[in-house]
Amino acid sequence: MTSRLPAGRIGYLLLALCGLLLAWAGAWPWGGMALWWLQPLVLALAVWQLAASVPPSGTPRQRFRHGFWRGWLLATVWLASTFWWLYISMHVYGGMLAWLSVLAVLLLAAALALYYALACGLWLALQGPWRTGGSLLFAALWLLAELCRGVLFTGFPWGALGYAHVEGPLAGWAPWLGVYGIGFLASWIAALLAMRQLQGRSAPVRQGLATAAGVVALLLAGIVLREGINPGLTSPAGSRPLGVELMQGNIPQNEKFLPNGGIETALLWYGDQLMAAQAPLVLLPETALPLLPEQLPPGYWQALQQRFATGDQAALIGTPAGSFDTGLANAVVGMVPGGAVTAGSQPQSGVLLPPAQQPEYRYLKQHLVPFGEFVPYGFQWFVDMMVMPLGNFLRGDANQPRLLWQGQRIQPNICYEDLFGEELAISFTDPGQAPTMLANVSNIAWFGDTVAIDQHRHISRMRAMELGRPMLRATNTGSTAIIDHLGRVQQELPRLERGVLRGEVQGREGLTPFARWAGQFGLWPLWLLGMALLALFALRAPRPRG
């Protein structure tokens, strides 16, 4: 007989608890580690509860409604528990009323949870008897829900299922399938475990053995890939590692834009560190210099230019660019002896920067944050309720040039742009011009001393594994770190402390399978996989009797 779980209040509470634990598996609140083993177990319990409580004689429509509402609860709690820290940016730093900030987080989570609600509803409607293929159907629907969340309406994939697996066996699949592919495998494993319990003792022993063998095979394959195959996908670029200095100013967000507070502190501290830097490459966080070019003290920018005009050191500086008349941009500006040399497409032009005596490298953020860097249509009223510097920023090109320096091709990205591996992969379409290392500049101070810092570190680790490139991270409050091409954190500064991280990083060349197919086709191969499996099961679904 099929195992049964409570369908009433206890069942709903269990699903809510599973949602909370799914978020904690992605980044444990007490230490920030990703618990890869917890996630499939919790999701298996959720799937078990979702299906075991469905009325046996229900019609496909009834089963859909059953799955939809319970899936919506599960996903809403999961997502709200994942990015609850948005409350801090809206209330503490944005000045929005506390109750309204809580409501905004819940509404965002509930809206994004609709994708998973549809997935759970369709799964129960199409599944019928608990045959083995139902686990694959669940994984396909979960994959499509993840893709919808990551792509539609500019996408907000923070906390996607695969990020819990930066450690553990499934991490070996990252250079082949990417984070969404790992999420597909993790949800498949969870559904396999749940289906085995749903089938109960009536299932043949060989079916149980097949389930166990399938789970073990996926995990062992990941271990083999990570330990034996993935290290050989790329090779060292250049004859020696590049020395770097990554700066973490730890400017409190509530002081960052105050003329006699954070602005003065940033200009003095970062200016002093730039003048004293010794490494060949110096990297500053997002908006480390928090003023527009026209607002900088006289001679400040020119002094930095003169400092890096000669010698063997270059600096990448996070700074706003443009003007209130021509438009604003979130930028990274590179100061390089003798002028910047780039690889790939031509640099963005037409954005105001201070006068330069030699060509400077520039990168403009192209994937902007909704509400933070652009206002979605119809939501100006929401932005007006906050007292923070928000507006519509200029967008950079999708494929911007790499900075050539010391035999390396360095590709910056700004803040949450590193959530979108398929967009970073665009710069890998030409292997000869592909980046040899990635550099993320961020300011997570908007979200306080929270798990957002740890989550963003996991995101950067996943990008390093997917693309086979080291990732340099320079942030305002953390996590400032050096991550190697296998996603391992080599060095890291303590969070919420001012300091400079000094180390070396070895660039890499060669393309991972993910870099090849995502650079050429984006996420379409995964879309097609999910839709093909869904179509297959839709054709096989039991028809209602007349």
Side-chain angles (χ1 to χ4, degrees):
M1 296 179 60
T2 300
S3 299
R4 303 280 297 169
L5 284 176
R9 294 180 179 178
I10 296 178
Y12 284 113
L13 288 174
L14 181 59
L15 285 172
L17 177 61
C18 288
L20 177 65
L21 290 177
L22 277 179
W24 287 2
W28 190 246
W30 299 277
M33 68 287 290
L35 303 180
W36 68 268
W37 53 268
L38 179 62
Q39 185 196 75
L41 295 178
V42 170
L43 187 57
L45 179 60
V47 174
W48 184 23
Q49 162 59 28
L50 187 72
S53 59
V54 69
S57 59
T59 65
R61 178 174 294 183
Q62 290 171 331
R63 293 200 299 269
F64 175 84
R65 288 201 298 265
H66 179 97
F68 180 90
W69 292 114
R70 285 158 180 79
W72 195 26
L73 171 65
L74 170 71
T76 298
V77 175
W78 166 43
L79 296 176
S81 302
T82 296
F83 49 69
W84 63 269
W85 34 259
L86 290 173
Y87 165 87
I88 296 174
S89 64
M90 290 185 286
H91 173 62
V92 177
Y93 300 124
M96 183 180 285
L97 294 174
W99 70 267
L100 194 57
S101 301
V102 172
L103 180 61
V105 173
L106 290 176
L107 289 176
L108 175 61
L112 296 174
L114 289 172
Y115 301 127
Y116 302 93
L118 286 170
C120 293
L122 284 173
W123 181 60
L124 289 184
L126 295 174
Q127 174 56 39
W130 302 120
R131 53 186 181 269
T132 304
S135 59
L136 191 56
L137 173 61
F138 179 84
L141 288 165
W142 195 275
L143 170 64
L144 291 173
E146 294 264 73
L147 291 172
C148 286
R149 179 160 76 97
V151 173
L152 301 183
F153 307 110
T154 78
F156 189 65
W158 197 286
L161 209 65
Y163 289 117
H165 297 275
V166 290
E167 302 282 355
L170 292 185
W173 291 97
W176 302 80
L177 303 178
V179 67
Y180 296 116
I182 291 178
F184 171 79
L185 296 180
S187 58
W188 190 8
I189 290 173
L192 279 170
L193 297 175
M195 294 285 287
R196 173 57 188 164
Q197 182 61 32
L198 287 165
Q199 290 158 350
R201 295 181 180 179
S202 61
V205 174
R206 65 177 182 275
Q207 195 166 326
L209 293 175
T211 297
V215 172
V216 171
L218 289 174
L219 298 178
L220 284 179
I223 294 174
V224 170
L225 289 172
R226 183 164 192 174
E227 301 300 327
I229 298 176
N230 290 347
L233 293 175
T234 62
S235 58
S239 58
R240 55 192 175 89
L242 179 67
V244 297
E245 291 185 17
L246 314 179
M247 298 186 180
Q248 180 173 290
N250 194 35
I251 310 294
Q253 192 60 41
N254 58 350
E255 300 177 10
K256 186 173 176 64
F257 297 104
L258 295 180
N260 295 320
I263 291 178
E264 182 178 4
T265 300
L267 294 179
L268 287 173
W269 189 78
Y270 284 118
D272 289 343
Q273 297 305 315
L274 285 167
M275 291 298 178
Q278 299 295 319
L281 178 65
V282 185
L283 188 63
L284 272 64
E286 176 187 16
T287 60
L289 305 184
L291 295 178
L292 290 170
E294 60 193 40
Q295 299 171 321
L296 287 169
Y300 185 92
W301 192 266
Q302 289 74 13
L304 294 180
Q305 288 177 324
Q306 185 176 1
R307 161 69 175 82
F308 292 97
T310 59
D312 56 0
Q313 293 177 270
L316 288 171
I317 302 170
T319 181
S323 70
F324 293 107
D325 294 329
T326 63
L328 307 177
N330 195 345
V332 173
V333 176
M335 297 182 177
V336 186
V341 179
T342 62
S345 59
Q346 294 301 310
Q348 184 97 13
S349 60
V351 176
L352 178 65
L353 289 169
Q357 298 176 349
Q358 65 269 346
E360 292 175 337
Y361 175 83
R362 65 185 66 178
Y363 172 87
L364 304 185
K365 188 174 184 180
Q366 66 94 11
H367 198 122
L368 304 181
V369 180
F371 303 104
E373 293 168 326
F374 78 95
V375 181
Y377 179 77
F379 280 89
Q380 186 61 49
W381 60 272
F382 180 79
V383 172
D384 290 342
M385 290 190 291
M386 292 182 282
V387 287
M388 61 171 67
L390 304 177
N392 288 304
F393 281 51
L394 300 173
R395 294 179 186 269
D397 295 331
N399 187 10
Q400 298 184 55
R402 274 65 72 193
L403 172 64
L404 291 176
W405 179 242
Q406 299 282 321
Q408 304 294 329
R409 297 184 293 273
I410 305 163
Q411 179 68 73
N413 59 83
I414 299 177
C415 198
Y416 100 141
E417 283 188 312
D418 67 346
L419 264 77
F420 303 92
E422 69 279 8
E423 295 181 359
L424 297 186
I426 294 174
S427 61
F428 287 76
T429 51
D430 181 355
Q433 302 294 325
T436 59
M437 62 180 63
L438 305 170
N440 177 268
V441 300
S442 294
N443 176 31
I444 308 296
W446 286 106
F447 313 119
D449 183 13
T450 67
V451 74
I453 293 175
D454 305 296
Q455 291 168 344
H456 202 194
R457 185 200 310 109
H458 299 334
I459 289 167
S460 287
R461 293 180 64 190
M462 182 62 69
R463 295 294 87 78
M465 288 189 284
E466 286 177 346
L467 298 168
R469 295 295 187 269
M471 176 78 81
L472 304 174
R473 287 180 49 81
T475 69
N476 180 19
T477 56
S479 157
T480 296
I482 298 174
I483 300 170
D484 73 7
H485 66 290
L486 297 177
R488 300 172 299 195
V489 178
Q490 302 296 296
Q491 294 176 251
E492 184 176 11
L493 284 179
R495 62 205 291 165
L496 299 174
E497 291 185 14
R498 186 169 298 162
V500 178
L501 180 62
R502 297 177 176 88
E504 292 185 334
V505 60
Q506 177 65 63
R508 307 289 294 188
E509 55 188 358
L511 300 185
T512 65
F514 174 84
R516 291 182 185 277
W517 64 257
Q520 292 289 336
F521 307 110
L523 296 175
W524 273 109
L526 294 177
W527 280 105
L528 293 174
L529 171 63
M531 290 187 289
L533 290 172
L534 176 58
L536 176 64
F537 278 90
L539 293 174
R540 294 177 54 198
R543 305 295 180 188
R545 297 179 179 179

